[in-house]
Amino acid sequence: MKYLLFAVLIAMQLIHGAAANTEKTLTYVVPHWPPWTDTQTYPYQGIDVEIITALADKAGFKLNMLQCAWKRCLRLLEQGKADIATNVLKKADREVYLHYLTPAYRTNLNYVIYTHKGDMRAITTKQQLYPLQITIERGAHFPDEFSQDKNIQTRPVSQTLFAIKQLINQRANAVIGEEYQLDYLVSRLDTNRVLEKQPLLFSEPINAYIVLSKKSHHAEAVAQLSNTIAQMMDSGQIESMKRDYLRPNE
């Protein structure tokens, strides 16, 4: 009987220990959105992966990363089968099942222009774009200031990746795209550093958030996680992590 009681107690301790570990684990859904999240190799990489890893560590959580297509990621959050996600825009239907952790950690979408070094003087005004053909990704979104200007000539290609390669080979005048994506692609593809980023910038406001499922076992941690994000923003840590990730490989 003593041995049976001892075995039961040991089993209970093991179960309690396993439950305790589970209680401090956040399941993070990871779509393939480089440079924010890159799931091509494991362990996953990306700006958001580094930010969420630092956030979890500061708040005392472990992370379980789950790769998924974005629609499935949202469904897992809605069902409570996943806990946390990054880079989420506010929409009424999502607010039903998501806690938006504040503050937003992305507040602007910037669009920048790259050219081949020495091809032209610095582009500081929109009017300087008028004589050029600007290569864009077909179907991509751009701020109205750029997309609605009839004087700007655009040349669509299927992917921004191809546009950068064409610019490197001097088969394009200039390329425009979202700043983080363009900086990321140039840092990886432009190994001879023949491209330069122009001073001209197009910008529009955006609020992208880290979110927590309302069905998460850690839903009570909303205030703690929000406070940690605020501290990381105020200290400049998040901005620094974004920039450090995009530095060209040496």
Side-chain angles (χ1 to χ4, degrees):
M1 189 61 143
K2 286 182 180 179
Y3 293 112
L4 178 60
L5 180 60
F6 180 73
V8 169
L9 289 173
I10 291 296
M12 289 177 66
Q13 286 180 336
L14 290 173
I15 292 169
H16 177 74
N21 287 335
T22 302
E23 283 172 5
K24 295 300 290 181
T25 299
L26 290 169
T27 297
Y28 169 47
V29 285
V30 194
H32 184 63
W33 281 350
W36 301 99
T37 48
D38 188 337
T39 62
Q40 284 190 324
T41 58
Y42 191 86
Y44 303 141
Q45 300 178 42
I47 299 170
D48 279 354
V49 173
E50 296 195 4
I51 290 172
I52 203 74
T53 300
L55 171 63
D57 184 61
K58 286 177 179 291
F61 288 96
K62 294 180 180 180
L63 275 181
N64 171 40
M65 298 193 190
L66 178 61
Q67 193 276 330
C68 49
W70 183 233
K71 284 187 178 179
R72 181 167 177 263
C73 290
L74 288 173
R75 188 160 61 249
L76 292 171
L77 290 164
E78 185 175 11
Q79 294 169 345
K81 294 179 180 177
D83 300 296
I84 201 163
T86 51
N87 241 325
V88 184
L89 303 182
K90 263 194 182 182
K91 293 186 178 180
D93 59 329
R94 294 176 184 173
E95 289 185 88
V96 174
Y97 60 90
L98 295 176
H99 289 295
Y100 282 79
L101 305 179
T102 54
Y105 77 116
R106 288 186 68 197
T107 55
N108 280 296
L109 269 180
N110 293 327
Y111 293 81
V112 296
I113 294 165
Y114 273 88
T115 60
H116 207 276
K117 282 182 180 176
D119 277 2
M120 59 194 73
R121 60 178 182 162
I123 298 173
T124 57
T125 68
K126 188 172 62 166
Q127 287 70 30
Q128 289 174 271
L129 299 178
Y130 293 168
L132 306 175
Q133 271 202 334
I134 314 299
T135 305
I136 63 171
E137 181 175 317
R138 185 179 291 109
H141 169 80
F142 296 97
D144 289 348
E145 184 185 2
F146 176 85
S147 61
Q148 300 300 318
D149 191 328
K150 304 296 184 185
N151 294 306
I152 296 178
Q153 307 170 65
T154 58
R155 175 176 166 269
V157 295
S158 59
Q159 293 181 30
T160 304
L161 175 74
F162 299 149
I164 294 296
K165 288 181 176 180
Q166 288 179 357
L167 189 60
I168 290 170
N169 294 320
Q170 293 185 286
R171 289 164 45 217
N173 294 138
V175 173
I176 187 171
E178 195 273 323
E179 184 175 25
Y180 286 109
Q181 184 189 30
L182 239 58
D183 286 354
Y184 174 78
L185 289 173
V186 169
S187 71
R188 269 69 182 168
L189 297 174
D190 184 23
T191 53
N192 293 322
R193 307 291 175 244
V194 297
L195 303 185
E196 60 184 351
K197 190 177 184 177
Q198 293 294 337
L200 182 63
L201 182 78
F202 295 94
S203 186
E204 65 181 5
I206 185 178
N207 285 317
Y209 296 84
I210 298 171
V211 296
L212 189 68
S213 169
K214 288 185 177 179
K215 289 188 178 179
S216 167
H217 294 300
H218 311 294
E220 77 288 345
V222 168
Q224 179 194 8
L225 290 169
S226 289
N227 289 339
T228 306
I229 292 169
Q231 291 167 11
M232 292 172 69
M233 292 282 288
D234 291 343
S235 69
Q237 182 180 2
I238 286 181
E239 189 59 34
S240 176
M241 292 173 82
K242 292 176 187 176
R243 295 299 170 189
D244 287 348
Y245 188 83
L246 295 170
R247 283 180 180 167
N249 297 323
E250 299 298 334

